[in-house]
């Protein structure tokens, strides 16, 4: 079966949880062929893959949201837009309930030569004007105009990209990738599967609320826009796979039909972490974090909590394993913070092979603001290491269990609360026995509930169900 | 034309009858001053010629030579003048003053080369005296330079300087004329033209010294302005086409059986040209009022419309600013129309009384009346073309001015057969002004769309572009 994987801002350009999830899914499904349809932010990352693509990837399509810089525009065009097309566009711009199929049909129709030509047409301007008049009459129009154009352009360009034909569309996020999955289903009438790791809309929402490039009154506009993208995916998808129960609930809150949602947790090959190199002496307490250095991981809180730890546990060392090149500005800020706090023994290792280092740690930490079901935690637990995490995604479930008997595998504290996080780490530093007990608990839980075999089998079953219905249909 | 608005607004703020009169006087002076001075200069020279009893053929030759020099120097420079107004305004806005002098030298080189070749070929086959050929050729070349220079002085908004330069030029011309004709007793057309050469050379030097003293020396981008021809070909075309449109019906008459040939060189159609000349004087009121009314009331609203867009105006603010701007514009336009109509009728009455006294026939007076009406419509069209350019609607501007030109070329020869001389111009102007009004109303209706969508899709430098539009009209 030919499966089209739709990813946005992750595989194969960026390492991390979602990327390695996709990589292991494809690697472990040699019986299927995969088309990768990936959306990146900037054209300059074209072809720069961080992964060696598995052999069963038969095609890679790359599209970038900044491609519009190359668009030539001829303004002044008029179209023959029907009343219903006009209504579709209106409700899209106004953020009302949209009939996406109509929007797809309109955007792919022959009368539209290019997206920029349409966006600079009189018809589009009139609709936008009307929307602003009726819904945003108190907002500066010029800014609204540029905001809308820059919001819509990448989406429309994405939609107009040629869509590869496949037997199944599998998107690993809502957002643009989710819209593309819906488009695949719309065009070829093939099933559309959605796996959501984090909650896309919530992540965008947090990003936008903090972003200083969006002015106050436009934050709502942007957030609403991402909500409507997600709704497109939720309404088109045949099946949604959630990693854990809390996410399922959120998806339902966001408007996804609960009957579509099943849960397949992430998984790691627990035995891979059985015989790791352990540290040689007990002179220092090693605390590690397996994270990319990006704002959503809240490295700054991590640094601040370690500063507290260092006061009480002078022989503690803090290792941050992970690439620093994704957001260099943020990395610089982190280095600056370390300097300001004057805390010693914080080591940024850059990209490393996790398995070579993880065994040498006494404690692992994660201070993210938002997470799905972090692979880093699964890996750490598989390596029998206790964790201190913030209360995001499924961390609570992973460390404390969801009504199972394995016992706690670490300590969960509120987001951004570096004092509590620091104290939790201190309590683990001071109690070797507790560390070992928690490490053992984690190892058992992961082996039992979060194995890679379980994860792969889950998807294998789903894929083969679709394959059967595909050939079943063919037979009739 | 647009730049004196600034000073005018200052005058108008004082708000008294006296300052109002001053504003109109000032406006008249700067808009039509140079033109009137040239006419006075020619008239005085003609008086001098009569005083010394110069032979009729020589007098005719003087008139023909200077007319040709005026008309064709305007034609050759017209496209460049329009284009350079933009170029100079943009350079001034970008503070790239280094480019200004080189561009002046560059454009002078091109126009003098083209004019030089055209003039040479034209005079080469003529049997006129060498003295006449040389003086006439010089006049032609000087005028080319002067029209180019006025662009740069206008950019400095130094209109009084232009008027003064022309005034001194006229005085020197008349003095030289007195010397050549009366004291030296040369009763020859070339002497009269030589006097004008000296006068215009004075004007030229005065303008040139001013410009060279003002802008920095040393730039080398002599032909950089030519990039504007590829960037804004329509602007060049509008300049050339609208100038050609004014003269083309004369050219057609010159080529017809109604023409005479002066000195085996210059073709003319006096029975048509004279009414055309006098009729054109009737549009002076519009030229003056346009500057005062549009530059003061309309420009304020125009500016605040763009200021609202540039700032953080809501959709309601924009709608309100647009409405005010449109209302004021249409109000001013209808004001101009009424005044012009009044003056056209007045000109017809005066014409009927006075023209017979200078020997015009009944047929010529008929032509004059038709031409006055035609010019009345033509000047309205021209005003609208300028307004369209305010909104950067090059398409509309080129459409209307080309339409006027084309209609003239088609109707003039046909109408000539019927004997209703001037009706061709009237019909052409009527068609063109109709289209122009429709286009202007359309633009005003869709002004938001044009303002927004003519901008690039990506926010690269949105503000400078808007500001550039605003700046551009302060040429």
């Amino acid at each position: 079966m030919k499966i089209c994987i739709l990813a946005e801002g992750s595989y194969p350009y960026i390492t991390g949880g979602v990327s390695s999830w996709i990589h292991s899914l494809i690697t472990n499904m040699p019986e299927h062929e995969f088309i990768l349809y990936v959306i990146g932010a900037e054209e300059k990352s074209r072809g720069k893959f961080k992964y060696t693509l598995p052999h069963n990837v038969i095609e890679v399509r790359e599209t970038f949201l900044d491609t519009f810089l190359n668009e030539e525009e001829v303004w002044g065009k008029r179209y023959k837009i029907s009343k219903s097309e006009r209504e579709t566009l209106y409700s899209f711009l106004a953020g009302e309930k949209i009939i996406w199929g109509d929007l797809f049909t309109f955007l792919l129709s022959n009368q539209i030569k290019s997206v920029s030509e349409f966006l600079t047409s009189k018809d589009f301007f009139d609709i936008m004007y009307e929307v602003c008049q009726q819904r945003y009459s108190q907002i500066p129009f010029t800014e609204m105009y540029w905001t809308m154009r820059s919001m819509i352009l990448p989406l429309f360009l994405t939609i107009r990209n040629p869509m590869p034909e496949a037997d199944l569309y599998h998107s690993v996020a809502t957002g643009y990738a989710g819209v593309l999955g819906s488009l695949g289903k719309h065009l070829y009438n093939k099933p559309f599967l959605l796996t959501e790791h984090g909650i896309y809309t919530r992540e965008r929402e947090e990003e936008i609320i903090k972003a200083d490039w969006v002015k106050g009154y436009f934050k709502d506009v942007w957030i609403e826009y991402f909500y409507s993208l997600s709704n497109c995916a939720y309404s088109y998808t045949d099946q949604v796979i959630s990693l854990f129960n809390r996410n399922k609930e959120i998806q339902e809150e966001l408007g996804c039909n609960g009957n579509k949602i099943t849960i397949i947790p992430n998984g790691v090959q627990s035995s891979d972490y059985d015989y790791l190199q352990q540290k040689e002496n007990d002179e220092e307490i090693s605390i590690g974090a397996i994270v990319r250095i990006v704002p959503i991981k809240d490295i700054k809180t991590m640094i601040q909590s370690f500063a507290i730890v260092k006061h009480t546990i002078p022989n503690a060392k803090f290792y941050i394993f992970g690439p620093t090149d994704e957001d260099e500005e943020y990395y610089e800020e982190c280095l600056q913070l370390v300097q300001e706090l004057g805390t010693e023994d914080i080591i940024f290792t850059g990209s490393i092979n996790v398995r070579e280092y993880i065994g040498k740690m006494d404690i692992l930490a994660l201070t993210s603001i938002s997470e799905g079901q972090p692979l880093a935690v699964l890996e750490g637990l598989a390596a029998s290491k206790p964790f201190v995490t913030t209360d995001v995604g499924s961390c609570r479930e992973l460390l404390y269990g969801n009504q199972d008997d394995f016992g706690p595998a670490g300590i969960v504290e509120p987001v951004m609360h570096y004092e509590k996080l620091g104290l939790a780490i201190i309590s683990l530093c001071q109690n070797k026995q507790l560390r070992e007990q928690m490490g053992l608990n984690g190892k058992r839980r992961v082996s039992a509930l979060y194995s890679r075999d379980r994860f792969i089998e889950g998807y294998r079953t789903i894929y083969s169900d679709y394959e059967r219905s595909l050939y079943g249909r063919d037979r009739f | 034309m647009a730049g004196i608005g600034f000073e005018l607004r200052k005058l108008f703020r004082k708000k008294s009858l006296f300052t109002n009169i001053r504003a109109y006087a000032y406006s008249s002076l700067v808009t039509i001053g140079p033109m009137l001075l040239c006419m006075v200069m020619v008239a005085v020279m003609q008086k001098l010629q009569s005083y010394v009893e110069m032979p009729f053929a020589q007098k005719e030759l003087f008139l023909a030579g200077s007319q040709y020099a005026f008309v064709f120097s305007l034609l050759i420079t017209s496209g460049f003048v329009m284009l350079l107004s933009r170029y100079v305004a943009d350079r001034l806005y970008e503070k790239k003053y280094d480019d200004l002098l080189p561009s002046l030298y560059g454009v002078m080189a091109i126009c003098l080369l083209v004019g030089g070749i055209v003039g040479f070929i034209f005079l080469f086959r003529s049997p006129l005296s060498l003295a006449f050929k040389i003086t006439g050729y010089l006049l032609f070349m000087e005028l080319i330079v002067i029209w180019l220079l006025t662009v740069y002085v206008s950019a400095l908004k130094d209109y009084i300087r232009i008027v003064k330069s022309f005034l001194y030029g006229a005085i020197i011309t008349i003095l030289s004329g007195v010397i050549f004709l009366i004291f030296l007793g040369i009763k020859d057309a070339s002497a009269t033209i030589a006097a004008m050469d000296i006068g215009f050379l004075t004007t030229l030097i005065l303008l040139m010294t001013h410009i060279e003293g003002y802008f920095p020396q040393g730039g080398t981008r002599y032909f950089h302005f030519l990039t504007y021809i590829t960037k804004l070909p329509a602007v060049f075309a509008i300049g050339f086409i609208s100038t050609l449109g004014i003269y083309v019906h004369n050219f057609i008459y010159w080529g017809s059986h109604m023409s005479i040939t002066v000195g085996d060189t210059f073709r003319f159609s006096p029975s048509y040209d004279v009414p055309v000349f006098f009729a054109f004087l009737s549009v002076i009121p519009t030229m003056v009022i346009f500057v005062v009314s549009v530059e003061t009331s309309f420009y304020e609203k125009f500016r605040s419309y763009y200021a609202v867009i540039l700032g953080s105006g809501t959709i309601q603010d924009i709608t309100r600013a647009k409405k005010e701007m449109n209302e004021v514009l249409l109000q001013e336009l209808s004001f101009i129309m009424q005044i012009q109509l009044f003056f056209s009728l007045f000109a017809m009455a005066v014409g009927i009384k006075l023209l017979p006294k200078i020997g015009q026939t009944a047929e010529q007076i008929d032509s004059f009346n038709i031409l006055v009406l035609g010019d009345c419509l033509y000047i309205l069209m021209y005003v609208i073309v300028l307004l369209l350019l305010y909104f950067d609607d090059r398409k509309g501007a080129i459409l209307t001015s080309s339409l006027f030109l084309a209609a003239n070329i088609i109707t003039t020869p046909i109408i000539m057969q019927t004997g209703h001389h001037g009706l061709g111009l009237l019909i052409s102007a009527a068609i063109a002004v109709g289209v122009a009004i429709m286009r202007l109303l359309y633009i005003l209706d869709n002004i938001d769309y044009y303002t927004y969508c003519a901008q690039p899709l990506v926010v690269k430098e949105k503000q400078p572009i808007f500001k550039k539009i605003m700046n551009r009209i302060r040429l």
Side-chain angles (χ1 to χ4, degrees):
Chain A
M1 186 167 66
K2 213 185 271 179
I3 300 162
C4 180
I5 296 276
L6 302 141
E8 178 182 335
S10 53
Y11 195 70
Y13 306 107
I14 286 169
T15 57
V18 178
S19 295
S20 41
W21 182 91
I22 297 173
H23 191 71
S24 78
L25 180 77
I26 297 177
T27 314
N28 286 289
M29 297 279 187
E31 68 269 35
H32 297 299
E33 290 179 321
F34 288 90
I35 298 170
L36 278 181
Y37 191 159
V38 291
I39 304 168
E42 293 171 311
E43 186 78 40
K44 65 177 182 210
S45 43
R46 183 181 288 278
K48 289 182 186 153
F49 300 162
K50 294 264 168 70
Y51 287 83
T52 312
L53 300 182
H55 295 296
N56 53 340
V57 171
I58 54 167
E59 191 188 341
V60 184
R61 288 225 183 161
E62 298 174 85
T63 173
F64 299 92
L65 296 183
D66 67 349
T67 319
F68 56 79
L69 290 170
N70 310 324
E71 283 271 303
E72 284 268 328
E73 59 214 75
V74 186
W75 66 281
K77 183 96 174 134
R78 307 290 158 110
Y79 297 92
K80 287 194 188 79
I81 290 183
S82 72
K83 199 164 166 267
S84 71
E85 285 169 334
R86 202 186 146 81
E87 274 163 18
T88 306
L89 285 165
Y90 182 92
S91 45
F92 172 69
L93 289 179
E96 290 166 4
K97 201 146 178 58
I98 313 156
I99 304 166
W100 282 88
D102 291 351
L103 186 67
F104 291 152
T105 313
F106 174 72
L107 285 175
L108 296 173
S109 68
N110 287 332
Q111 67 164 322
I112 293 185
K113 294 269 181 312
S114 84
V115 175
S116 40
E117 194 183 271
F118 176 67
L119 292 187
T120 51
S121 72
K122 176 87 168 79
D123 306 86
F124 182 77
F125 184 81
D126 286 347
I127 297 171
M128 187 149 74
Y129 195 87
E130 205 183 310
V131 170
C132 289
Q133 216 166 23
Q134 290 175 6
R135 292 188 50 116
Y136 306 107
S137 59
Q138 298 308 317
I139 291 179
F141 180 68
T142 304
E143 284 173 69
M144 189 67 206
Y145 173 75
W146 292 105
T147 303
M148 277 198 169
R149 282 226 296 213
S150 48
M151 217 159 66
I152 289 162
L153 187 65
L155 175 71
F156 281 14
L157 281 175
T158 314
I159 291 174
R160 279 179 58 91
N161 264 347
M163 170 61 72
E165 204 169 343
D167 300 315
L168 172 67
Y169 293 90
H170 186 178
S171 171
V172 299
T174 59
Y176 295 99
V179 173
L180 283 184
S182 313
L183 179 65
K185 178 172 171 136
H186 170 82
L187 285 176
Y188 302 113
N189 198 24
K190 291 291 162 59
F192 168 35
L193 184 63
L194 170 68
T195 301
E196 203 173 10
H197 291 252
I199 300 294
Y200 186 91
T201 33
R202 291 288 160 91
E203 286 173 7
R204 293 292 87 74
E205 194 169 345
E206 276 160 24
E207 221 169 75
I208 289 162
I209 288 170
K210 275 195 278 175
D212 45 14
W213 55 271
V214 193
K215 275 198 201 150
Y217 28 81
F218 291 112
K219 296 198 167 180
D220 293 343
V221 178
W222 274 102
I223 290 167
E224 242 175 75
Y225 171 71
F226 283 117
Y227 271 98
S228 71
L229 294 194
S230 288
N231 274 319
C232 171
Y234 289 146
S235 66
Y236 265 90
T237 181
D238 295 86
Q239 193 174 353
V240 178
I241 293 151
S242 225
L243 300 185
F244 52 98
N245 201 49
R246 176 70 195 126
N247 264 10
K248 178 185 170 180
E249 287 164 14
I250 297 173
Q251 286 166 332
E252 282 175 287
E253 277 169 38
L254 292 177
C256 183
N257 178 354
N259 295 330
K260 287 182 179 178
I261 308 173
T262 41
I263 294 176
I264 300 179
N266 257 341
V268 288
Q269 183 80 3
S270 173
S271 58
D272 284 356
Y273 299 85
D274 279 353
Y275 304 101
L276 298 171
Q277 204 182 349
Q278 301 292 318
K279 72 174 175 180
E280 282 143 20
N281 58 56
D282 264 348
E283 272 162 28
E284 63 167 54
I285 299 257
S286 309
I287 305 160
I290 309 161
V291 283
R292 294 173 290 126
I293 316 296
V294 289
I296 202 161
K297 303 292 180 190
D298 202 1
I299 309 296
K300 288 182 183 170
T301 292
M302 199 180 273
I303 293 167
Q304 275 170 320
S305 61
F306 181 68
I308 293 173
V309 172
K310 193 71 182 167
H311 283 300
T312 322
I313 318 284
N315 63 333
K317 276 198 172 185
F318 189 51
Y319 297 90
I320 301 176
F321 306 118
T324 55
D325 53 350
E326 199 177 310
D327 188 339
E328 276 165 19
E329 207 180 313
Y330 185 69
Y331 175 54
E332 288 298 321
E333 286 171 24
C334 289
L335 291 180
Q336 221 160 23
L337 180 65
V338 172
Q339 222 167 21
E340 276 165 28
L341 293 173
T343 311
E344 288 171 358
D345 296 328
I346 295 183
I347 302 123
F348 289 91
T349 65
S351 256
I352 44 91
N353 182 353
V354 173
R355 258 180 269 168
E356 280 172 30
Y357 288 81
I358 196 172
K360 297 177 189 167
M361 297 295 116
D362 293 298
I363 303 161
L364 295 173
L366 183 84
T367 52
S368 298
I369 295 167
S370 174
E371 281 288 351
Q373 190 167 50
L375 197 69
V377 175
L378 291 177
E379 286 174 334
L381 295 182
S384 310
K385 300 296 171 186
F387 249 103
V388 172
T389 72
T390 42
D391 192 3
V392 289
S394 69
C395 286
R396 179 174 288 273
E397 204 175 287
L398 291 176
L399 297 190
Y400 295 162
N402 188 11
Q403 291 159 349
D404 61 32
D405 299 328
F406 300 107
I411 303 168
V412 178
E413 295 293 359
V415 169
M416 290 171 84
H417 206 309
Y418 55 87
E419 230 175 82
K420 281 193 171 175
L421 287 161
L423 292 176
I425 296 173
I426 290 171
S427 70
L428 283 177
C429 289
Q430 287 169 335
N431 190 340
K432 189 171 184 206
Q433 205 197 333
L434 180 64
R435 293 204 298 267
E436 282 168 354
Q437 181 58 50
M438 282 182 161
L440 201 65
N441 294 347
K443 176 83 177 172
R444 287 197 188 129
R445 180 175 294 119
V446 167
S447 315
L449 304 175
Y450 300 94
S451 75
R452 185 161 75 200
D453 295 343
R454 252 179 95 146
F455 145 59
I456 296 294
E457 274 319 304
Y459 278 95
R460 185 162 277 137
T461 317
I462 291 174
Y463 280 174
S464 58
D465 280 350
Y466 283 117
E467 193 169 24
R468 214 171 302 122
S469 72
L470 184 75
Y471 289 110
R473 222 182 293 160
D474 280 356
R475 220 171 286 152
F476 282 108
Chain B
M1 232 188 222
I4 65 164
F6 192 64
E7 286 95 306
L8 284 178
R9 266 192 296 282
K10 276 192 288 188
L11 287 180
F12 268 100
R13 276 208 192 97
K14 291 177 194 153
K15 287 269 181 218
S16 75
L17 184 63
F18 177 67
T19 49
N20 258 3
I21 293 168
R22 255 179 67 185
Y24 277 104
Y26 183 74
S27 158
S28 326
L29 192 65
V30 296
T31 38
I32 54 171
M35 184 177 125
L36 286 179
L37 279 170
C38 289
M39 280 162 52
V40 168
M41 192 193 299
V42 172
V44 171
M45 297 312 276
Q46 281 179 299
K47 283 280 172 224
L48 280 178
Q49 288 174 333
S50 307
Y51 179 76
V52 299
E53 289 168 358
M54 193 183 279
F56 178 74
Q58 288 297 320
K59 278 160 70 177
E60 215 175 25
L61 205 53
F62 158 72
L63 213 52
S66 47
Q67 286 282 54
Y68 264 59
F70 270 98
V71 171
F72 289 100
S73 62
L74 279 171
L75 264 183
I76 281 178
T77 52
S78 55
F80 289 104
V81 163
M82 198 72 134
L83 195 73
L84 277 172
S85 310
R86 278 268 169 116
Y87 180 80
V88 170
D90 285 357
R91 291 305 100 174
L92 287 176
Y93 174 72
E94 287 167 19
K95 301 200 164 42
K96 291 185 179 162
Y97 305 118
D98 282 352
D99 285 343
L100 291 168
L101 270 186
S103 72
L104 170 61
Y105 300 142
V107 76
M108 267 163 58
I110 292 175
C111 290
L112 287 176
L113 185 73
V114 175
I117 293 170
V118 172
F120 184 82
I121 293 171
F122 178 75
L123 290 172
F124 186 73
R125 48 166 193 92
S126 144
L128 292 165
S129 72
L130 188 63
F132 184 88
K133 281 186 187 176
I134 291 173
T135 50
Y137 194 72
L138 270 178
L139 180 62
F140 176 56
M141 300 300 256
E142 279 176 12
L143 287 171
I144 287 179
V145 177
I146 286 172
W147 305 142
L148 296 175
L149 291 177
T150 49
V151 176
Y152 290 79
V153 189
S154 310
L156 297 175
K157 303 191 175 50
D158 203 348
Y159 294 89
I160 290 296
R161 169 113 21 194
I162 298 181
V163 177
K164 275 185 185 164
S165 304
F166 275 94
L167 178 68
Y168 297 146
I171 293 169
I172 298 282
T173 302
I174 292 165
L175 286 179
S176 318
V178 170
I179 292 168
F180 291 161
L181 300 185
I182 298 175
F183 291 108
L184 301 178
I186 313 170
K187 294 180 184 177
D188 195 74
S190 54
T192 330
I193 300 232
M196 285 179 78
D197 284 347
I198 295 171
F200 278 119
L201 188 64
T202 315
T203 306
L204 191 157
I205 290 169
L206 286 172
L207 293 174
M208 191 79 185
T209 353
H210 182 52
I211 295 168
E212 289 194 326
Y214 198 90
F215 295 121
Q217 311 270 348
T220 51
R221 298 214 284 176
Y222 296 105
F223 297 104
H224 179 243
F225 73 95
L226 289 178
T227 54
Y228 271 52
I229 294 194
T230 30
K231 216 163 79 179
L232 300 166
V235 172
F236 185 88
I238 292 162
F240 180 70
I241 291 170
S242 52
T243 309
L244 186 60
I246 306 172
Y247 297 114
V248 74
H249 59 125
N250 291 93
F251 296 163
I252 292 168
Y253 272 86
W254 295 355
S256 77
H257 66 276
M258 288 178 66
S259 70
I260 56 165
T261 306
V262 176
D264 281 334
T265 307
F266 305 106
R267 289 178 75 89
F268 269 112
S269 180
S271 59
Y272 188 63
D273 292 348
V274 176
V276 167
F277 173 75
F278 283 112
F280 201 72
L281 295 180
S282 69
V283 301
I284 289 176
T286 293
M287 290 181 173
V288 174
I289 299 166
F290 176 74
V291 175
V292 176
S293 81
V294 171
E295 274 292 327
T296 51
S297 15
F298 166 66
Y299 185 72
E300 296 273 344
K301 300 293 173 190
F302 179 85
R303 248 172 72 95
S304 53
Y305 170 72
Y306 282 101
V308 163
I309 285 177
L310 267 172
S312 47
T314 67
I315 207 149
Q316 289 157 348
D317 300 334
I318 294 173
T319 314
R320 199 179 309 120
K322 171 181 144 176
K323 207 175 149 219
E324 277 178 17
M325 174 178 73
N326 289 2
E327 272 171 9
V328 167
L329 179 59
L330 295 177
Q331 211 175 302
E332 295 300 324
L333 209 55
S334 80
F335 172 65
I336 290 179
M337 281 162 119
Q338 287 167 28
I339 299 285
Q340 183 55 52
L341 192 66
F342 170 77
F343 274 98
S344 294
L345 294 173
F346 178 71
M348 284 158 87
V350 172
I352 292 169
K353 270 269 177 234
L354 295 185
L355 286 177
K357 291 189 177 162
I358 56 163
Q360 297 293 297
T361 65
E363 197 189 26
Q364 280 176 312
I365 290 167
D366 279 348
S367 307
F368 170 79
N369 289 338
I370 298 172
L371 285 163
V372 166
L373 284 179
D375 283 335
C376 172
L377 296 179
Y378 162 78
I379 200 70
L380 279 178
M381 180 213 90
Y382 187 68
V383 162
I384 294 172
V385 166
L386 290 180
L387 289 171
L388 289 175
L389 287 175
Y390 263 67
F391 296 112
D392 205 27
D393 178 32
R394 280 166 265 151
K395 217 180 181 179
I398 200 166
L399 182 88
T400 21
S401 43
S402 315
L403 188 66
F404 177 65
L405 175 67
N408 251 324
I409 293 173
I410 296 165
T411 54
T412 305
I414 302 170
I415 296 295
M416 200 192 306
Q417 310 304 322
T418 68
H420 301 288
H421 306 298
L423 193 58
L425 179 86
L426 178 58
I427 294 169
S428 310
I431 296 169
V433 81
V435 171
I437 289 172
M438 267 152 52
R439 180 71 187 183
L440 182 67
L441 292 177
Y442 175 80
I443 293 286
L444 291 183
D445 213 26
N446 293 284
I447 185 64
D448 293 328
Y449 173 62
Y450 280 84
T451 309
Y452 280 96
C453 287
Q455 306 308 315
L457 205 49
V458 188
V459 201
K460 280 177 196 150
E461 292 174 293
K462 60 173 187 191
Q463 299 222 336
I465 290 164
F466 279 117
K467 280 188 184 148
K468 251 165 124 174
I469 294 181
M470 291 175 66
N471 177 65
R472 181 164 289 155
I473 49 177
R474 303 281 313 271
L475 296 183

